[in-house]
Amino acid sequence: MSGLREECGVFGVFSTFKQDTAKAAYYGLFALQHRGQESCGIVVNDDGVFNYYKDTGIVNDVFTAEVLDELKEGNMAIGHVRYGTADTKDRLNSQPMVVNHHKGRMALANNGSLVNAPELRKKLELEGSIFHTKSDAELISYLITKARLETGSIEDAINIAMNQLKGAYTLVVMSPAKLIAVRDPQGFRPLCYGQKDDGTYIIASESCALDSVGAKFIRDVEPGEIVIFDREGIRTIKDHCNKMQEKLCIFEYIYFARPDSIIEGVSVHEARKKAGACLALEHPVQADVVIGVPDSGLDAAIGYAAQSGIPYGIGFIKNKYIGRTFIAPGQKSREDKVRIKLNVLSATVKDKRVVIVDDSIVRGTTIAKIVKRLRDAGATEVHVRSAAPPFTDPCYYGTDVDSKENLIACKHTLDEICKIIDADSLGYLNVNHLNMLIGKTDNSEFCYSCFTGNYPTEVPEGTIEDKFTKHLSEKE
Ligand code: SF4
């Protein structure tokens, strides 16, 4: 319920024989739907012929049975689900990108955000490049195809292009004969691969998508690694590995990823339970029941209840047939959707002192409404616990954390926020305890910059969006 937006999920299939790879991509993207709901696309590779379809909307709506039939069979496919931030939210910016270049063709899907996109784009534009979209995926495609002119293989071209990329990018790239998985050297976003019993390889942002197509998890792609799947088998290029400190986004565990995913050996569900247990130790309270805000606050609530000894209860029933709250643009529609989406189970909270656990608090508007709903249902006390520290700064690595002026923790003290949301007490997870969620000894191996403002890369001065939202003069 945090109101944060993940940008994307990526998926890839490689097989040595022709099969319904479009269907596999469809199921994989369906499992990754939580990572982006504004547009989606699939490209099928049928012996070097790329058939593709992409559009705005969720996977189930965009890929009807007829559309999947049209995509035909192939031995490879890649897919993408997307939430747009720097880009516009139209069909043109949907991914995967498909490009025809001097040496052939390529399809590419990306999850992340480059911190040097404006400079790279300017450099290419001054060399005569023309862009059709505002997305990093098109920019990265340009750099790879340009490098491809001077290299003998697509993987070498990717390796060279990576020298210029700064920030977060997680790619699946498909050439006529190869499927390639790439993770940036700091590993901001997750990426893993697995294999089905028939030998088909699957690449996905999260392991839950491997499960959805019956593939067994093999391993995570390492930060900086390029993994190539072709008829010869699997090869890797590690020229960009171990050059930088890993900075996997801690918010993948707290909110973005599905609880049934395992990222870098850590169960997302277990990480969230640990966040709840830490909260119980940091912010204990006398109460009768612990409830969670569905869905991403539930695991932390279970952890809080187990640690505190206070019984866990189901406090809200969620209408599952509505998109995540954040899909709706604008404050008004967001609020309306919260009311429609969650209904209080008054039998759990009436005449009780309630601890309500949410994954995080961004603007504070959603949790304020939830507190009111609990009081209206007869809760005698409402104690709010956030499984994330207070948000203080924006994210430059592919998450749409709200602007500083909208972050409630930037404008108010803890006591003020507690009053604003009308809670009896309020407690956030301590930023220094984030490492405990994933069994690290300290906070050095992951990104948590939106809670501190200390970034592991340069910070971009402007965005591509800035450039296109300014009016051009008549002369131009
Ligand atoms: S700034 Fe926050 S949301 Fe962005 S990558 Fe880092 S931890 Fe994740």
Side-chain angles (χ1 to χ4, degrees), residues 188-189 249-251 256 394-397 399 401 447-450:
F188 283 100
R189 299 287 157 212
C249 169
I250 194 69
F251 223 67
F256 294 137
C395 171
Y396 298 107
Y397 313 115
T399 305
V401 175
C447 180
Y448 58 109
S449 305
C450 47

Side-chain angles (χ1 to χ4, degrees), residues 389-416:
F391 280 106
T392 55
D393 289 271
C395 171
Y396 298 107
Y397 313 115
T399 305
D400 192 14
V401 175
D402 231 321
S403 55
K404 267 182 112 114
E405 56 269 23
N406 290 325
L407 296 173
I408 194 166
C410 278
K411 298 186 293 189
H412 299 284
T413 64
L414 186 81
D415 287 347
E416 286 169 350

Side-chain angles (χ1 to χ4, degrees), residues 231-248:
R231 285 184 183 275
E232 316 280 295
I234 305 180
R235 301 186 305 286
T236 76
I237 298 175
K238 295 195 174 188
D239 293 355
H240 294 275
C241 294
N242 303 314
K243 287 193 171 162
M244 300 174 91
Q245 173 75 66
E246 178 168 2
K247 290 292 172 188
L248 175 64

Side-chain angles (χ1 to χ4, degrees), residues 467-476:
K467 178 174 168 178
F468 289 97
T469 48
K470 279 185 198 143
H471 291 290
L472 296 177
S473 70
E474 269 179 38
K475 227 170 140 190
E476 286 168 306

